[in-house]
Amino acid sequence: MIFNRLFCNRGILIQNFRQHGWIGILYLITLLFSLPLYIATEYRDAPQQITSLFQANGEVQILFAITLPVAAGIFLFRYMQSGASSDLFHSLPLRRKHLLTVNLLIGYAMILLPIWITTAITGWVWAVLDQPAFLFDGSTIWMWGLSMSIYSLFMFMLTVAVGMCMGQSVLQGLTVYALLLLPVVVWFIMSLHLQHYLLGYPYDELGRNSEMSLVLRMASISYSPITNGELIIYSILAILFIPLTYVLYARRQVESATQAVTFTLVKPIFRFGLMFTLVLIGGAYFTIIAPRGSAGWGIFGYVLGGIVGYIVAEMIIRKTWLIWSSRLLPKLILYGVVAGLILYVPIAGWNGYAARVPELNKVHSIKLGGESYTYSNGVTQKKDDAHLYSNDPEYMGAVIALHQKIVDSDLPLLNDPINPSMRDDEYVFINYKLDNGKVMKRKYYIPEAEFHQELMALKQSHDYKRVAFETYKLEEDALSFGIRAATSSYRKVYISNPEQVREFKELLKQDILDQTYEEQRSPWQSFAYVEMNQDSSSKDPFQPKEMWNFEIKPSYDRVLAWLKEHKLYDQLLVQADGIVSAQFVKQEINSPGSLQWATPQPEYIDGSLSIKKQVATQNKEIISDLLKRQRSGYLTERDTIYQIKLNVTRGENIYMMLKEEDLTEEMKAILVNE
């Protein structure tokens, strides 16, 4: 009886339902439309096998899970943020713990009942559908209900806990979403900072860390599966917020209603949090827009962001723009020193990060390259990379020798942290699996000329070529090979005879592994492209096969001889007799400080008939030379190239490109008067 009167006060229950019950009803309607109705009305020619119901319109479901529970938390405790209503509720003959309990129970009911009603209806729809668009089992339904419950409870309890520290509902809502985005913003911009100022920092992509924020999770939920660890973390946080809320509510002053921040202890945390966030954003922005080689821009951005962030935080706390006092500047300096230390300590030379190279006897194995992901059954998952590690002493010694020279050299820090690969010749991503079980990663962009000997020793090793050119796939069974000429997509051949497949596969593997360093860096276009088809391990009917791509370079003597022996070579070869004429257009690239891709550009030559002088020839000798000499695309700031178009008698015209130095004497002769 006492429990019902105090903890489940009927008057407050009825009042809250009348005022805020619409949130629970709206939550139920939106969930019904986004899941069971979507599943029931969706039509597909072939049903899709899914492992999570979030693969069926999951973005919309998460959108409601991160908005309506927040609305419930704000509206149910709106009385704390207004002076009159706060005085009224706190004058009732109820202790604060009783008042908080009844509001929390109402909130739980408003967000959990819609989820489990939707779960039950989804189960019924799944049972009665004759031709479903999605195939899944019963455990998938209950897992969806559990996940949505955890996400919704986390958002609700986070909102309530934040509300205890804030005296304004609008600021409460903004702070909730700011806290959700804060880990991602800090991680992303700190990673950018470390990449720019810490040599070797292995920068990963933002999209792979979307689990850090439910707001970003909304974009990846349909293809990135929910992990048990993710649910456990959100469950623990939601549970921890409950006692924290009781403690904060017991100590909250009634007169703090309408204040921006209600606790004195929270004010410096809020002030520094907002300031440091704007420090990072300001530094990142000016680092991105800075001219090449202008290191001072990033530092200016950090300082400007700190000043603006501190002033904005102070104005929010005081609720006025008249914030100047004798204590303002010393506080700003103190906060600035703390922020500066946080930025400086990780990149300081004395911490030894940039100079650390592991000893060979302490390394178990090494992998070059970043993480790989696969998309199967509508889900993106990280590939197993155990087979990519090598413990060959020669290979590991070559990697460590290269790493040591990078550390010892006067290699400049990145001038362009957003597109670093545009600036240098070679990309090196080293993964050391140490004997103590840890993985040490380093990432560099280096000029090839300075590290030529070390790169040659590494890239001519068997284990490097096995991984870099994926020849380990050629050790597996294959169904067939499709080969397409590099010059013309109409020139194709197929190999499906099991014996020929085995022969071709083995020869291709040998030619790849026998490549010299110079052949790997050849500027000339490949002769043909190969597609290897394998049986798929996926249960997705839309992925019946797995495909792997390889190249046939002009230096692959075994493969080319085999193609000639089986009369397939001529089917891939474009003959000069099939070319009517060749057109040349000179193109000057002149963009100092900004690298441009020099590639064959059909629109450049086709769109220049009236504005640029073209030279055409029907000389079969020149046309034959062009068919043998096609340069691959490359990056340059300044160069002279020739865009070339071969007009064919049948099929699509062929577009190619040559540098001025690539031209034969016959080509120069017809272009001399251009």
Side-chain angles (χ1 to χ4, degrees):
M1 189 69 181
I2 294 177
F3 180 84
N4 291 338
R5 182 171 65 84
L6 298 179
F7 288 96
C8 292
N9 188 281
R10 184 167 55 183
I12 296 179
L13 287 172
I14 295 173
Q15 177 68 14
N16 277 331
F17 180 76
R18 287 177 176 174
Q19 285 188 319
H20 313 305
W22 61 270
I23 298 176
I25 296 172
L26 179 62
Y27 199 19
L28 175 62
I29 293 173
T30 54
L31 289 179
L32 290 176
F33 271 86
S34 64
L35 185 59
L37 184 62
Y38 177 80
I39 290 175
T41 57
E42 182 74 0
Y43 173 77
R44 299 195 177 190
D45 293 331
Q48 179 185 350
Q49 182 73 42
I50 59 176
T51 57
S52 168
L53 287 182
F54 289 110
Q55 292 176 247
N57 208 24
E59 296 86 353
V60 178
Q61 300 157 22
I62 289 293
L63 173 63
F64 296 137
I66 65 174
T67 52
L68 291 176
V70 173
I74 292 174
F75 281 98
L76 280 173
F77 293 88
R78 178 73 180 85
Y79 69 89
M80 294 191 306
Q81 320 294 21
S82 174
S85 60
S86 179
D87 292 339
L88 173 63
F89 272 83
H90 292 110
S91 65
L92 296 174
L94 292 172
R95 292 184 178 181
R96 288 197 177 191
K97 63 179 180 180
H98 300 150
L99 193 58
L100 177 58
T101 300
V102 69
N103 283 300
L104 287 179
L105 291 176
I106 293 170
Y108 297 156
M110 287 171 55
I111 61 177
L112 292 179
L113 286 178
I115 292 173
W116 289 103
I117 291 173
T118 303
T119 302
I121 294 176
T122 302
W124 174 77
V125 170
W126 169 67
V128 301
L129 273 180
D130 291 331
Q131 296 180 329
F134 303 98
L135 301 178
F136 52 90
D137 54 32
S139 62
T140 306
I141 302 173
W142 297 112
M143 190 62 188
W144 178 89
L146 177 63
S147 302
M148 285 291 289
S149 299
I150 292 173
Y151 287 151
S152 299
L153 283 175
F154 168 76
M155 293 300 301
F156 176 72
M157 288 310 306
L158 174 63
T159 305
V160 175
V162 170
M164 298 300 167
C165 302
M166 300 292 161
Q168 299 174 3
S169 297
V170 173
L171 188 59
Q172 176 187 2
L174 292 175
T175 304
V176 167
Y177 290 109
L179 288 175
L180 288 177
L181 289 172
L182 187 62
V184 178
V185 172
V186 171
W187 173 86
F188 174 72
I189 300 180
M190 276 299 291
S191 293
L192 187 66
H193 168 75
L194 294 175
Q195 184 195 16
H196 190 60
Y197 294 104
L198 184 60
L199 185 65
Y201 176 73
Y203 179 71
D204 293 323
E205 288 150 12
L206 176 63
R208 305 301 179 192
N209 294 271
S210 60
E211 293 82 0
M212 296 171 65
S213 170
L214 271 180
V215 175
L216 293 185
R217 198 70 173 96
M218 180 173 58
S220 65
I221 194 72
S222 63
Y223 58 82
S224 181
I226 296 173
T227 62
N228 292 333
E230 184 181 348
L231 294 179
I232 290 172
I233 290 173
Y234 283 119
S235 300
I236 292 173
L237 290 175
I239 293 172
L240 290 177
F241 285 144
I242 296 175
L244 177 63
T245 300
Y246 277 93
V247 172
L248 293 174
Y249 192 37
R251 299 186 178 185
R252 178 185 167 109
Q253 300 295 323
V254 175
E255 57 271 17
S256 64
T258 73
Q259 293 182 11
V261 181
T262 59
F263 292 99
T264 303
L265 181 62
V266 177
K267 289 180 181 179
I269 299 174
F270 176 83
R271 190 182 289 116
F272 182 77
L274 181 56
M275 173 188 174
F276 189 66
T277 301
L278 289 185
V279 164
L280 294 175
I281 293 174
Y285 175 74
F286 281 93
T287 297
I288 292 171
I289 68 171
R292 188 178 180 184
S294 303
W297 283 57
I299 297 174
F300 171 76
Y302 291 130
V303 175
L304 180 62
I307 295 172
V308 173
Y310 184 84
I311 292 174
V312 170
E314 203 65 36
M315 288 194 295
I316 292 175
I317 291 173
R318 299 191 192 185
K319 297 198 299 184
T320 177
W321 63 277
L322 302 173
I323 61 172
W324 178 257
S325 68
S326 59
R327 301 177 61 187
L328 182 68
L329 188 58
K331 281 187 176 181
L332 173 59
I333 294 174
L334 176 62
Y335 281 84
V337 169
V338 175
L341 287 174
I342 294 175
L343 293 173
Y344 172 72
V345 170
I347 64 173
W350 46 261
N351 65 29
Y353 181 95
R356 189 175 299 127
V357 178
E359 298 176 10
L360 180 59
N361 58 5
K362 295 182 180 179
V363 178
H364 178 267
S365 57
I366 298 178
K367 180 191 82 167
L368 291 181
E371 307 293 355
S372 297
Y373 295 83
T374 182
Y375 185 78
S376 178
N377 296 329
V379 174
T380 299
Q381 292 180 313
K382 179 184 171 183
K383 289 183 179 179
D384 178 29
D385 61 357
H387 63 285
L388 303 181
Y389 280 87
S390 170
N391 57 6
D392 177 65
E394 179 185 355
Y395 173 74
M396 294 199 299
V399 173
I400 292 176
L402 173 62
H403 189 186
Q404 188 64 58
K405 183 169 181 180
I406 293 174
V407 169
D408 293 340
S409 67
D410 189 21
L411 195 66
L413 294 169
L414 291 175
N415 290 317
D416 187 355
I418 302 301
N419 299 301
S421 60
M422 303 286 282
R423 298 294 177 194
D424 292 294
D425 298 317
E426 291 289 340
Y427 157 71
V428 181
F429 196 145
I430 308 173
N431 301 263
Y432 294 104
K433 190 172 288 184
L434 305 178
D435 287 337
N436 60 12
K438 296 181 179 180
V439 176
M440 173 180 164
K441 298 183 179 182
R442 293 295 186 270
K443 184 175 181 180
Y444 304 97
Y445 294 91
I446 59 177
E448 192 276 337
E450 186 176 342
F451 299 89
H452 178 82
Q453 293 299 325
E454 289 75 18
L455 287 169
M456 183 168 63
L458 171 62
K459 294 194 173 187
Q460 290 191 153
S461 66
H462 175 278
D463 283 23
Y464 172 83
K465 287 182 276 191
R466 178 181 176 275
V467 174
F469 297 98
E470 297 179 327
T471 60
Y472 56 86
K473 297 305 297 183
L474 294 172
E475 298 168 5
E476 302 173 3
D477 292 334
L479 296 175
S480 62
F481 285 96
I483 307 176
R484 173 178 59 84
T487 52
S488 174
S489 59
Y490 284 90
R491 298 277 180 168
K492 300 177 183 178
V493 297
Y494 296 93
I495 305 172
S496 57
N497 179 280
E499 182 62 30
Q500 292 183 348
V501 166
R502 284 191 294 271
E503 290 177 4
F504 180 82
K505 182 159 60 77
E506 183 60 30
L507 293 175
L508 180 60
K509 174 187 169 185
Q510 292 178 25
D511 275 338
I512 293 175
L513 294 177
D514 285 348
Q515 287 183 97
T516 63
Y517 179 62
E518 289 72 21
E519 289 169 349
Q520 294 177 45
R521 290 182 55 80
S522 172
W524 302 108
Q525 194 176 68
S526 298
F527 171 72
Y529 300 106
V530 180
E531 185 180 89
M532 184 178 79
N533 298 302
Q534 291 181 306
D535 282 326
S536 175
S537 57
S538 170
K539 297 180 181 179
D540 192 337
F542 294 102
Q543 293 177 303
K545 294 181 180 179
E546 289 184 359
M547 292 174 288
W548 298 86
N549 297 310
F550 302 91
E551 297 179 44
I552 299 178
K553 296 183 179 180
S555 60
Y556 289 4
D557 296 332
R558 296 183 185 89
V559 170
L560 294 176
W562 188 91
L563 290 173
K564 292 175 182 177
E565 179 185 343
H566 290 80
K567 297 181 172 51
L568 299 175
Y569 182 84
D570 289 341
Q571 298 181 44
L572 296 169
L573 193 65
V574 177
Q575 303 290 345
D577 292 340
I579 307 297
V580 177
S581 62
Q583 297 170 244
F584 293 76
V585 175
K586 189 175 183 179
Q587 181 182 12
E588 297 284 355
I589 297 177
N590 187 16
S591 56
S594 176
L595 289 170
Q596 303 291 328
W597 270 106
T599 59
Q601 298 177 19
E603 65 279 2
Y604 185 88
I605 192 167
D606 289 337
S608 64
L609 295 176
S610 59
I611 60 174
K612 293 184 179 66
K613 185 177 180 181
Q614 293 195 4
V615 174
T617 181
Q618 295 180 335
N619 186 309
K620 294 301 181 181
E621 183 179 351
I622 291 178
I623 292 174
S624 295
D625 286 335
L626 288 173
L627 290 172
K628 299 173 185 176
R629 300 167 59 81
Q630 302 172 50
R631 182 172 282 273
S632 300
Y634 65 99
L635 285 165
T636 183
E637 294 181 2
R638 184 182 290 106
D639 212 340
T640 298
I641 64 174
Y642 282 88
Q643 295 288 345
I644 303 168
K645 176 183 179 181
L646 301 182
N647 298 293
V648 302
T649 55
R650 294 177 56 189
E652 291 184 347
N653 293 324
I654 299 171
Y655 297 88
M656 61 181 62
M657 171 199 72
L658 290 177
K659 295 177 69 172
E660 192 169 34
E661 63 196 53
D662 302 330
L663 300 176
T664 63
E665 293 300 325
E666 291 79 7
M667 296 176 192
K668 292 177 181 178
I670 65 170
L671 296 170
V672 67
N673 296 320
E674 182 184 355

